[in-house]
Amino acid sequence: MTFTGHTILITGGTSGIGLGFAKKFSELGNKVIITARNEKRLNQILNENLTFTGFVSDVADKDSLPQLVNFIKENFPQLDVIMNCAGIMRAINLFEQADNSLKVLTEEIHINLLGTIAVTQAFLKILVANNGLVINVSSGLSNLADGAHPIYNLTKAGVHFYSDALREQAKYFEKTLKVIELVPPLVTETNLESHTNTDAPNNMALSDLISETLAGLENGLDRIDAGFAKQLHQMGKVNSDENTKLLSQQMLSNYFPKMKD
């Protein structure tokens, strides 16, 4: 599988994983359309990357999605790849967070999970007609809860199960659609959260993630566990209860250190 000559829509394409893949896919000879909520940031990226096309769209806003669909139908009817990268990650102390309103607690659900589902469903007919591909970005933390990111964990686990179900339905109903789940660890160059330690040994360079992903696409993988996500996958399958406790102790003490008397 040579990944060139495609028309690719990337949500969350102005930073981190989304922007990194947008640049690489464009370099490989693909048409790239990126979306983002922030119009100023989107225009900045478009000015710096003249081969991109952009559209202001919020995956968590049901009213903006039909506008994106119409834009794609009118301008890029050959769309054959969607990469769902839009996402946020929050460490949350459920007991003492300053604002634990329902709106705040569910924002990751609306963006990470419901946004992925909504965008994918909106373009399913187009993708099937074009023998297309969906790439859903989940996380190594979809395999093992880390305690510090209670909502993020569940959204990425949801992306994992949704991707599996979509893939199996495509096979069962004989639809020409391939579904790939990309499972990264924490990537150094992302801006998911300010707490990121760029020197942490389990973090992954974005360039390495892109290389592993392209190799996985070339090999026809349905699930691409990259970097430390491979270990998290195994930890989630073998003695997961004990591994969850160990990982949570480490992560909670890192994000929410207890004050000594």
Side-chain angles (χ1 to χ4, degrees):
M1 179 182 181
T2 301
F3 210 81
T4 189
H6 297 283
T7 301
I8 306 172
L9 174 65
I10 302 177
T11 66
T14 59
S15 63
I17 291 175
L19 180 56
F21 274 96
K23 291 179 177 180
K24 186 62 178 180
F25 286 153
S26 179
E27 177 187 317
L28 291 173
N30 300 284
K31 292 181 181 178
V32 174
I33 308 103
I34 60 173
T35 71
R37 293 183 291 177
N38 188 317
E39 184 174 7
K40 182 178 179 180
R41 172 64 177 169
L42 178 62
N43 288 334
Q44 176 189 341
I45 295 301
L46 294 178
N47 288 333
E48 295 172 353
N49 299 272
L50 299 181
T51 61
F52 294 2
T53 299
F55 194 85
V56 178
S57 182
D58 182 354
V59 300
D61 180 3
K62 61 180 178 61
D63 295 325
S64 74
L65 187 53
Q67 299 172 24
L68 174 61
V69 173
N70 289 336
F71 173 78
I72 295 296
K73 285 182 176 179
E74 292 175 5
N75 297 280
F76 299 97
Q78 70 275 31
L79 179 78
D80 62 339
V81 180
I82 286 181
M83 186 171 189
N84 285 301
C85 288
I88 60 173
M89 179 181 188
R90 290 176 175 169
I92 299 175
N93 180 336
L94 295 171
F95 294 95
E96 296 183 0
Q97 196 82 0
D99 182 3
N100 274 346
S101 66
L102 185 60
K103 180 179 180 181
V104 170
L105 286 174
T106 59
E107 188 171 10
E108 286 166 294
I109 297 174
H110 285 282
I111 295 174
N112 301 358
L113 178 55
L114 298 183
T116 293
I117 295 171
V119 171
T120 303
Q121 293 298 129
F123 289 102
L124 271 186
K125 288 185 178 180
I126 297 174
L127 292 174
V128 169
N130 293 329
N131 301 312
L133 167 66
V134 175
I135 305 173
N136 287 332
V137 178
S138 64
S139 167
L141 295 179
S142 66
N143 301 300
L144 200 67
D146 76 335
H149 302 89
I151 312 302
Y152 179 84
N153 291 165
L154 72 88
T155 64
K156 293 303 186 177
V159 169
H160 161 65
F161 285 113
Y162 169 71
S163 300
D164 279 355
L166 179 61
R167 183 185 307 112
E168 294 307 314
Q169 285 205 15
K171 294 175 183 176
Y172 181 79
F173 293 114
E174 299 180 347
K175 301 296 184 180
T176 53
L177 178 73
K178 185 169 180 60
V179 182
I180 294 174
E181 181 187 356
L182 173 57
V183 191
L186 194 59
V187 176
T188 302
E189 295 92 336
T190 64
N191 59 349
L192 277 175
E193 54 179 5
S194 59
H195 192 84
T196 302
N197 177 4
T198 57
D199 297 324
N202 295 328
N203 287 3
M204 189 176 198
L206 180 56
S207 59
D208 292 337
L209 174 65
I210 292 172
S211 295
E212 282 201 30
T213 302
L214 290 173
L217 291 171
E218 190 74 26
N219 292 324
L221 299 182
D222 289 335
R223 177 187 174 103
I224 303 171
D225 285 302
F228 186 61
K230 297 183 183 72
Q231 291 172 251
L232 288 171
H233 192 181
Q234 290 302 312
M235 292 167 67
K237 292 196 297 184
V238 180
N239 202 9
S240 62
D241 289 344
E242 185 62 28
N243 285 328
T244 295
K245 293 176 184 177
L246 292 173
L247 181 63
S248 294
Q249 288 172 7
Q250 176 186 343
M251 296 292 280
L252 286 168
S253 63
N254 184 21
Y255 282 87
F256 306 110
K258 294 179 180 179
M259 299 298 292
K260 295 182 180 179
D261 295 332

